Amino acid sequence: MASDGDGAAAVAALGISGGGGDDWAPPLRRNLPLLAPHEVELAKLLLSEGQSHLFEHWPEPGVDDDKKRNFFDQVCRLNSSYPGGLASYIQNARKLLADSKAGKNPYDGFSPSVPSGEVLTFGDDNFVSLEEAGVKEARHAAFVLVAGGLGERLGYKGIKVALPRETTTGKCFLQHYIESILALQEASCKLVEGECNTKIPFVIMTSDDTNALTVKLLESNSYFGMEPSQVHILKQEKVACLADNDARLALDPNDKYKIQTKPHGHGDVHALLYSSGLLEQWKSTGRKWVLFFQDTNGLLFNAIPSALGVSATKGYNVNSLAVPRKAKEAIGGITKLTHVDGRTMVINVEYNQLDPLLRATGHPDGDANCETGYSPYPGNINQLILEIGPYMEELQKTHGAISEFVNPKYTDSTKTAFKSSTRLECMMQDYPKTLPPSAKVGFTVMDAWLAYAPVKNNPEDAAKVPKGNPYHSATSGEMAIYRANSLILRKAGAQIADPVIDTFNGQEVEVWPRITWIPRWGLIFKDVKAKVHSNSSVSQRSALVINGKNITIQGLSLDGTLIVNAKDEAKFNVTGHIENKGWTIQHADHKDTSEKEEIRIRGFKFNKVEQLELNY
């Protein structure tokens, strides 16, 4: 054990004097000889930021020394993973907590107005030409999936990207995303004269919760056909929890040598991309666009080609994908904000802030529907397309730090104590908040039936959603895929039967024919139109699975289940009257533990009575 003289020298090395030194000096003084120089620096940082309570319980050297060293390992990680380090985190927290206690409005001085953007109509000439422009640009793009979440909120123990997107094929979300990117890669390369070996990069942001499971899902499925070198995993760290309004860091209730941590939010993706060096690499190989998307929107890739086409033709530095939203619907609205000092920004405003903001700035009805039946503020679906050059310039200034917020749950109206520890959070879509007014920020609106059916609510929460509002559950997410595919085929000229209404897990949904296809068969509307002829029909009770690139449907009358598998080189025309007992839909109760979780959260499964499977 070190002598008291050694301890005094080490304390002097901390360079902290007065101001409550007695509070921290005894436990830390005794343990300083255990610390390496960089750990002494971290201790100094913590003390200068008012965190002496972290050491109050430390016993004599020789007791729990490994745990004390582990404490500094964690502090080192927390310090290096946050832009500006732990001191910045604590200072930002104090300011945001003071604003929260004072009830300060983050939009003080701003007036909202409807920004300008593109509103697309599926299948018209403009939409078709934008899709083609987007496919052409795809080889200059990189895709970034933020997948830090487990499916616990849904009633599913695994990672969300491993959930089946739909259960006719059972393909998970991650497989669908990778197959869609590969289909874009192939279609984009075909438009280049000569040889094209472009490989579209794909980044997955994981967390401590999802990292190992994501890697395992990829490796055990041979990356779903993508080359492993195309896939980059970036793991986000959590941030320290805050115990009170003074931003004192909270110790883990189960381990007094550990700071309690919680997720910081998907806004971390910008800092991770900045520090990874990938952006420089991409730019040097001619990439122009970075597309960000979230983990469980099974319709997203229906929207990507046309939205990328909009970015390219309009020259948007930032393009937010959006859908029409009903006033007061629980989805953020894309809004232009103009400050009294003349500053402007186009940004997502959360739905619970948009209505009061409008009321406070001379709109007595607040967030109200206009003559279209929707709010004039389009609904943000959290899919962003950024132009890589301006994006890198911005990140050089900010190092990827995104404006944060804090949401403490107070014990009472005095706002002096928290019910439980809180932390700072940030959102990917708040990136435009720091952009200069010269930045070209726009949005692209398309129909929700085509582009947006996220899976984020469990059956109990979904069943409580007011009638007429989207459930955003595994039930509605799967049924939305069949609806979108049925409507696309209808638009292409096929006769697709109307849906019937049924209720699963307390949610009333439209049940359309169960139609699915691989992305390489129908990547854009022009592809579908070329492969489907108007003299074909599909009955409501039917299921049609198209698993091949060169399959055409001509003169098909389907009443039952048909699965068509074809190799790339096989060109095949599906025709004639096909009738069988098909697959019936069987109700499943989400409380029935004898069923698999992925079935229980949907509330239905297919009873595969009879089918015709054609293999070419």
Side-chain angles (χ1 to χ4, degrees):
M1 194 174 137
S3 72
D4 202 47
D6 292 338
V11 171
L14 279 167
I16 303 278
S17 58
D22 290 344
D23 294 339
W24 57 262
L28 192 56
R29 180 191 299 135
R30 290 192 293 269
N31 283 283
L32 276 171
L34 296 172
L35 305 186
H38 76 280
E39 292 170 333
V40 171
E41 287 303 312
L42 289 170
K44 194 191 289 190
L45 180 155
L46 288 169
L47 296 177
S48 65
E49 291 299 334
Q51 306 296 329
S52 58
H53 65 285
L54 297 171
F55 305 102
E56 280 168 3
H57 61 278
W58 278 31
E60 301 291 322
V63 181
D64 292 344
D65 289 354
D66 285 348
K67 290 183 177 178
K68 293 167 190 168
R69 290 190 187 97
N70 290 344
F71 169 83
F72 276 104
D73 287 345
Q74 185 196 20
V75 171
C76 187
R77 274 199 314 279
L78 290 170
N79 189 49
S80 63
S81 62
Y82 185 85
L86 256 179
S88 288
Y89 180 77
I90 294 162
Q91 289 156 21
N92 292 344
R94 278 200 194 104
K95 184 182 178 309
L96 287 166
L97 286 163
D99 289 351
S100 173
K101 187 178 180 185
K104 191 176 169 193
N105 178 359
Y107 297 114
D108 216 18
F110 283 103
S111 302
S113 59
V114 181
S116 64
E118 291 296 295
V119 180
L120 306 186
T121 303
F122 175 77
D124 69 6
D125 290 347
N126 180 46
F127 185 87
V128 168
S129 72
L130 284 169
E131 278 203 319
E132 290 187 286
V135 169
K136 196 174 171 188
E137 285 296 320
R139 65 180 179 275
H140 304 305
F143 284 83
V144 180
L145 166 64
V146 291
L150 291 168
E152 286 164 330
R153 228 177 92 190
L154 297 166
Y156 176 67
K157 288 192 189 76
I159 51 174
K160 288 197 278 185
V161 291
L163 262 174
R165 172 178 171 260
E166 40 74 22
T167 49
T168 55
T169 66
K171 284 183 183 179
C172 67
F173 280 101
L174 188 58
Q175 178 169 1
H176 174 71
Y177 296 150
I178 287 178
E179 287 181 355
S180 299
I181 293 168
L182 290 174
L184 275 167
Q185 177 179 293
E186 183 185 353
S188 194
C189 260
K190 271 208 170 135
L191 302 174
V192 184
E193 281 182 27
E195 204 178 337
C196 169
N197 297 314
T198 298
K199 300 281 181 273
I200 296 177
F202 180 36
V203 169
I204 305 173
M205 182 177 84
T206 60
S207 64
D208 286 334
D209 295 333
T210 64
N211 192 68
L213 291 167
T214 305
V215 172
K216 187 180 171 191
L217 181 63
L218 287 164
E219 288 178 349
S220 59
N221 290 283
S222 307
Y223 287 75
F224 298 110
M226 194 172 254
E227 288 183 14
S229 59
Q230 277 175 265
V231 183
H232 306 271
I233 306 271
L234 298 179
K235 184 166 82 73
Q236 70 177 137
E237 293 292 339
K238 292 179 177 170
V239 288
C241 289
L242 307 159
D244 55 30
N245 282 325
D246 295 325
R248 278 157 46 108
L249 302 183
L251 284 166
D252 188 316
N254 304 314
D255 183 350
K256 60 186 180 178
Y257 294 102
K258 211 170 174 184
I259 293 169
Q260 189 184 10
T261 59
K262 286 183 182 171
H264 189 222
H266 46 53
D268 278 355
V269 71
H270 302 293
L272 283 169
L273 278 175
Y274 172 76
S275 60
S276 71
L278 284 169
L279 294 166
E280 286 85 354
Q281 203 179 309
W282 294 345
K283 192 160 188 276
S284 69
T285 53
R287 308 265 161 227
K288 292 186 203 165
W289 311 101
V290 188
L291 290 90
F292 296 84
F293 65 107
Q294 280 187 271
D295 43 18
T296 53
N297 177 8
L299 297 179
L300 168 73
F301 276 85
N302 292 345
I304 292 280
S306 56
L308 186 52
V310 167
S311 282
T313 54
K314 291 278 168 187
Y316 284 157
N317 303 148
V318 178
N319 184 3
S320 295
L321 274 63
V323 293
R325 65 180 274 283
K326 293 282 187 187
K328 302 179 184 61
E329 189 185 322
I331 164 177
I334 298 189
T335 310
K336 181 177 181 180
L337 296 175
T338 306
H339 198 266
V340 284
D341 64 12
R343 275 181 297 147
T344 64
M345 56 182 171
V346 176
I347 196 75
N348 169 66
V349 176
E350 287 303 321
Y351 67 96
N352 54 352
Q353 294 174 312
L354 183 58
D355 188 65
L357 175 63
L358 285 161
R359 289 179 192 278
T361 51
H363 303 81
D365 297 333
D367 182 21
N369 292 328
C370 61
E371 64 283 353
T372 61
Y374 290 95
S375 164
Y377 296 91
N380 165 51
I381 64 169
N382 255 10
Q383 326 293 341
L384 297 174
I385 303 177
L386 304 185
E387 189 184 349
I388 203 164
Y391 179 46
M392 283 173 65
E393 278 170 39
E394 182 61 20
L395 293 193
Q396 258 130 29
K397 290 181 225 157
T398 64
H399 292 193
I402 295 297
S403 74
E404 293 163 305
F405 61 95
V406 69
N407 191 13
K409 304 284 184 279
Y410 300 106
T411 50
D412 57 36
S413 57
T414 64
K415 295 187 177 180
T416 47
F418 304 160
K419 286 179 182 170
S420 61
S421 62
T422 188
R423 85 291 198 178
L424 300 191
E425 296 177 74
C426 63
M427 296 191 292
M428 171 174 87
Q429 66 272 28
D430 281 347
Y431 162 74
K433 280 189 175 174
T434 55
L435 293 180
S438 57
K440 216 166 167 195
V441 182
F443 61 80
T444 303
V445 181
M446 50 196 96
D447 294 310
W449 68 259
L450 179 72
Y452 189 55
V455 176
K456 54 187 182 181
N457 288 329
N458 64 41
E460 292 92 337
D461 291 344
K464 292 178 199 154
V465 167
K467 199 171 160 65
N469 277 12
Y471 298 115
H472 292 168
S473 67
T475 312
S476 61
E478 177 159 353
M479 291 301 177
I481 289 163
Y482 305 139
R483 175 180 60 188
N485 290 345
S486 293
L487 290 171
I488 291 168
L489 288 192
R490 220 182 233 189
K491 186 84 180 165
Q495 292 157 48
I496 308 295
D498 285 335
V500 297
I501 302 292
D502 204 343
T503 302
F504 305 99
N505 281 343
Q507 303 157 61
E508 193 178 273
V509 290
E510 288 183 352
V511 182
W512 288 79
R514 276 66 69 203
I515 299 171
T516 60
W517 56 75
I518 58 168
R520 292 174 75 225
W521 180 79
L523 181 65
I524 56 175
F525 183 54
K526 190 180 172 187
D527 297 343
V528 177
K529 229 175 158 185
K531 293 171 184 172
V532 175
H533 299 278
S534 56
N535 56 355
S536 295
S537 65
V538 180
S539 72
Q540 188 280 327
R541 68 178 196 87
S542 293
L544 172 61
V545 178
I546 302 171
N547 189 18
K549 190 179 153 191
N550 294 309
I551 295 165
T552 49
I553 294 169
Q554 187 164 15
L556 170 69
S557 162
L558 177 62
D559 185 31
T561 294
L562 172 64
I563 299 167
V564 192
N565 304 309
K567 290 237 166 88
D568 274 6
E569 48 279 14
K571 290 193 173 178
F572 180 68
N573 192 18
V574 182
T575 188
H577 180 68
I578 295 170
E579 189 176 344
N580 55 45
K581 289 181 182 144
W583 297 354
T584 59
I585 297 180
Q586 212 174 316
H587 285 70
D589 183 2
H590 68 89
K591 295 192 184 83
D592 179 2
T593 52
S594 69
E595 291 289 1
K596 285 182 174 172
E597 284 176 331
E598 48 265 48
I599 295 298
R600 287 162 55 191
I601 62 174
R602 283 172 162 72
F604 64 84
K605 63 180 179 181
F606 294 118
N607 184 18
K608 300 182 177 181
V609 184
E610 195 181 4
Q611 66 190 49
L612 174 64
E613 187 160 352
L614 302 174
N615 295 298
Y616 295 93

